[in-house]
Amino acid sequence: MDTLIFIISKLVAAVIKVETWLVLGLALALLGLLKGRLMLARRLLGGTLLITLVLAIFPLGSLLLQPLESRYPANPALTWVDGIVILGGGEDAAKSAFWGQVQLREGGERYTAALELARRYPAAQLVFTGGSGRLRDLGESMASEDSVAQAFFANQGLDEQRLRLEQRSRNTAENAALGLALAQPRPGQVWLLVTSAFHMPRAMHEFRKAGWQGLVPYPVDYRSGPFVDGIGWNLPGNLHVLNTALHERVGLLVSGAP
């Protein structure tokens, strides 16, 4: 059942992508031309073009992401840290395996921030939780997020005794449940959760639901900015941010998070 839900979630994620609907608009316009429905085809082409222009010029995704990224403060005040939980997603596991070298991607701040925190609090334990969230990896995968994490922290000189790795989780709910089982935090301990700022509200909801108490959010990897500064011509960038915002909003709705 968990695997079926995982597959459905990935299919839904593909359907809600903005470019999916733009392509659908073009396909319907072509169908209208083939059927001789010229007025319908013109309207579909005009509407699709107008929407594409608006998306290319205005950073609409930033408006949707900013409330999520503002939910928890950046750089929370800390005096002592017992442990740090890092959520996978900031690495490119496939390219890391292909090139034999750690490859970080957008979201790599999850790694760099965790490393900085580990150096600032040398007594803190680190728990990395992340398997693979790709449909193609439902079978055996040659690349895994935890192997990238292990290599990254080893390359940076982190004592391997401080790092524990979880490699079976495929989504945030599994990150929370399996991460908690691995960390086994004791009452009164201070643990940080490091993940992207836009993802933090859903992550905190899932970790609390899994039974983790007293977890301190440490958001990184901010994607939004001042709306005016983002006005320009950047269709790929604007689509990416908007897709991220839509994916996260739908994820919050499905998980029942506030």
Side-chain angles (χ1 to χ4, degrees):
M1 180 60 72
D2 288 343
T3 298
L4 178 60
I5 293 174
F6 171 71
I7 293 173
I8 292 174
S9 70
K10 292 302 175 183
L11 294 176
V12 170
V15 170
I16 65 174
K17 284 181 178 293
V18 179
E19 53 265 37
T20 299
W21 293 93
L22 294 178
V23 170
L24 180 60
L26 292 175
L28 290 174
L30 177 60
L31 181 62
L33 288 173
L34 294 175
K35 295 291 187 179
R37 305 285 298 275
L38 298 183
M39 182 61 69
L40 175 63
R42 291 193 190 102
R43 289 176 177 174
L44 286 169
L45 284 173
T48 302
L49 177 59
L50 177 61
I51 292 172
T52 302
L53 289 173
V54 170
L55 294 175
I57 297 171
F58 299 102
L60 301 181
S62 187
L63 295 178
L64 292 177
L65 274 188
Q66 203 160 88
L68 298 179
E69 295 187 328
S70 302
R71 188 82 61 87
Y72 296 99
N75 305 312
L78 302 167
T79 56
W80 175 263
V81 174
D82 292 288
I84 304 164
V85 182
I86 311 115
L87 297 194
E91 66 293 304
D92 192 320
K95 288 181 180 177
S96 296
F98 183 79
W99 293 109
Q101 184 184 91
V102 172
Q103 300 294 307
L104 301 182
R105 61 179 181 179
E106 192 175 32
E109 292 91 337
R110 301 184 188 191
Y111 281 79
T112 56
L115 179 64
E116 191 274 329
L117 288 166
R119 289 172 173 168
R120 195 192 311 174
Y121 303 101
Q125 294 292 306
L126 278 72
V127 169
F128 177 88
T129 171
S132 175
R134 304 189 308 174
L135 278 176
R136 69 184 66 178
D137 292 337
L138 278 177
E140 184 176 356
S141 172
M142 297 300 293
S144 62
E145 294 179 355
D146 69 297
S147 64
V148 179
Q150 185 175 36
F152 173 83
F153 288 111
N155 292 345
Q156 300 302 318
L158 184 77
D159 183 354
E160 64 179 11
Q161 299 299 318
R162 297 179 62 191
L163 179 65
R164 283 174 277 177
L165 302 165
E166 181 282 309
Q167 62 178 356
R168 294 187 292 120
S169 56
R170 299 169 297 183
N171 53 40
T172 308
E174 292 181 358
N175 287 151
L178 297 176
L180 177 61
L182 183 61
Q184 296 185 344
R186 296 191 299 273
Q189 285 190 327
V190 177
W191 281 75
L192 305 181
L193 178 60
V194 178
T195 189
S196 300
F198 68 85
H199 182 238
M200 187 62 78
R202 182 156 59 100
M204 286 295 293
H205 173 75
E206 294 292 356
F207 272 74
R208 286 167 178 160
K209 191 164 64 174
W212 201 312
Q213 303 297 322
L215 195 62
V216 178
Y218 196 96
V220 297
D221 178 33
Y222 289 83
R223 308 283 178 92
S224 66
F227 182 79
V228 174
D229 290 351
I231 297 176
W233 185 263
N234 186 12
L235 180 59
N238 289 348
L239 280 178
H240 178 62
V241 175
L242 182 55
N243 283 331
T244 299
L246 292 174
H247 178 272
E248 204 57 34
R249 291 284 182 175
V250 171
L252 284 167
L253 182 64
V254 171
S255 68

